[in-house]
Amino acid sequence: MGCDGGTIPKRHELVKGPKVRREKVDKDAELVAQWNYCALSQEILRRPIVACELGRLYNKDAVIEFLLDKSAEKALGKAASHIKSIKNVTELRLSDNPAWKGDKGNTKGDKHDDLQRARFICPVVGLEMNGRHRFCFLRSCGCVFSERALKEIKAEVCHTCGAAFQEDDVVVLNGTREDVQVLKSRMEERRLRAKLGKKVKKPKAAEAASKPDVGEESAGPSNVKSGRPEEAGLDAREKRISPAPRGAAGASSSGRAGRPPCAAAKRPPAASGESEAYKSLFTSHSSAKRSREESAHWVTHTSYCF
């Protein structure tokens, strides 16, 4: 029976115990958790409802609180680690299910909850959004449709609001792992393109800001050129206003001094009619002038000093 060569077997090698069974997750409970509860706060979804670029559903209030929380104790869960700003989520336009009553009829607590009933439906086909059917939303407008509606009615325009969309704008809600990987790669490419676009815009903005300065600098010489006649005119005016040379000034003053005053020279004393008493009031009269004997012997002498 073996055990040759002195080997000593252990009990677990001889006795086989029961196999450890992995706990299976209830699919219905998982679907209810994904489609009826917020992926971040684990609370019941209530409007306004938003979805991230990976297709997970959140309450908008919970996302805002998560973004505003700057404490060191903040635990970044996998459900919201990729959300950096409110622009990374899209508010959904959901269509209410008229057959869903909620907890209105279950006042006593003895009514069976039908998990197949959902709060929202597809506005085109009428399928309920309970996880049994694949649903998606458009990033451009936020409208929610079933995947069957998009496949059956192929159009490049939204069926509800008429907004144009592309294939990259379609995001699957609560998709499989393969869907999440595809959406994650799209998200990374989109964010990389946005960063490159910002880097390209910065040099353009700097060039646009520098262009007015260059225009002002180029406008300087033209102003100088256009201002040359004005400066010449100003120089000519200054030359006219500036005093004449001393020789010229002396000649002009001598010429003027040689000439008698126009009024006093042309008008004869008899015609003036002024008396000697009136003339004696002025210092230029002969009575006001002193003789050499009466004049002072120091340096200066004026007729005003007596």
Side-chain angles (χ1 to χ4, degrees):
M1 293 296 295
C3 297
D4 297 333
T7 56
I8 302 174
K10 295 181 179 179
R11 185 178 182 280
H12 70 274
E13 295 176 356
L14 299 174
V15 179
K16 293 182 179 181
K19 293 182 179 179
V20 179
R21 295 181 180 179
R22 294 181 180 179
E23 295 181 359
K24 292 183 179 180
V25 180
D26 188 4
K27 290 184 178 180
D28 294 336
E30 186 179 5
L31 293 175
V32 169
Q34 286 181 349
W35 293 92
N36 294 333
Y37 290 86
C38 173
L40 183 61
S41 62
Q42 304 303 324
E43 296 179 356
I44 295 177
L45 289 172
R46 57 183 181 275
R47 287 179 171 168
I49 300 172
V50 296
C52 66
E53 294 172 298
L54 301 182
R56 294 168 184 155
L57 299 173
Y58 307 91
N59 288 327
K60 192 173 183 179
D61 299 339
V63 175
I64 293 172
E65 291 176 2
F66 172 77
L67 294 173
L68 293 176
D69 187 9
K70 303 296 183 182
S71 62
E73 299 177 357
K74 175 181 174 181
L76 293 174
K78 293 181 180 179
S81 59
H82 59 284
I83 300 175
K84 305 299 181 183
S85 68
I86 198 66
K87 294 181 180 179
N88 298 141
V89 295
T90 306
E91 187 171 347
L92 301 181
R93 296 181 179 180
L94 298 163
S95 302
D96 294 325
N97 185 6
W100 187 76
K101 297 180 180 179
D103 296 334
K104 293 180 181 179
N106 193 14
T107 55
K108 297 181 181 180
D110 55 352
K111 188 177 179 181
H112 173 69
D113 292 334
D114 189 3
L115 299 177
Q116 301 300 322
R117 291 290 179 186
R119 293 171 58 189
F120 310 108
I121 60 172
C122 172
V124 179
V125 184
L127 297 175
E128 294 186 356
M129 199 173 73
N130 53 10
R132 300 290 178 183
H133 309 280
R134 288 168 63 88
F135 272 72
C136 52
F137 74 95
L138 305 179
R139 291 182 60 255
S140 57
C141 59
C143 296
V144 181
F145 304 97
S146 63
E147 194 176 41
R148 184 188 299 179
L150 290 177
K151 287 182 178 179
E152 290 181 357
I153 307 173
K154 294 182 179 180
E156 296 180 354
V157 177
C158 177
H159 303 314
T160 303
C161 62
F165 68 92
Q166 298 177 356
E167 188 178 355
D168 294 342
D169 295 332
V170 181
V171 180
V172 179
L173 290 172
N174 293 325
T176 59
R177 292 183 180 179
E178 292 78 9
D179 296 333
V180 173
Q181 290 296 328
V182 173
L183 294 174
K184 192 173 182 180
S185 62
R186 286 183 186 176
M187 178 184 69
E188 292 173 354
E189 290 177 2
R190 198 181 299 116
R191 293 184 181 182
L192 183 61
R193 266 183 272 144
K195 285 183 180 179
L196 294 175
K198 288 181 180 178
K199 289 181 181 179
V200 171
K201 285 180 182 179
K202 285 182 180 179
K204 288 184 179 179
E207 290 176 4
S210 63
K211 279 182 181 179
D213 299 337
V214 173
E216 291 175 2
E217 291 175 1
S218 62
S222 63
N223 291 336
V224 171
K225 291 179 182 178
S226 63
R228 281 179 183 175
E230 297 176 2
E231 290 178 1
L234 291 173
D235 294 340
R237 290 177 187 174
E238 289 177 1
K239 287 179 182 179
R240 291 177 185 175
I241 297 169
S242 61
R246 291 184 179 178
S252 62
S253 62
S254 62
R256 288 179 184 176
R259 295 177 184 176
C262 55
K266 292 180 180 179
R267 188 172 56 183
S272 61
E274 295 173 354
S275 62
E276 290 293 330
Y278 178 75
K279 291 180 180 179
S280 64
L281 295 175
F282 300 96
T283 57
S284 61
H285 193 257
S286 60
S287 63
K289 294 179 181 179
R290 291 182 179 184
S291 62
R292 289 183 180 179
E293 297 175 356
E294 294 177 356
S295 62
H297 58 80
W298 52 78
V299 179
T300 58
H301 166 69
T302 59
S303 59
Y304 300 102
C305 299
F306 294 99

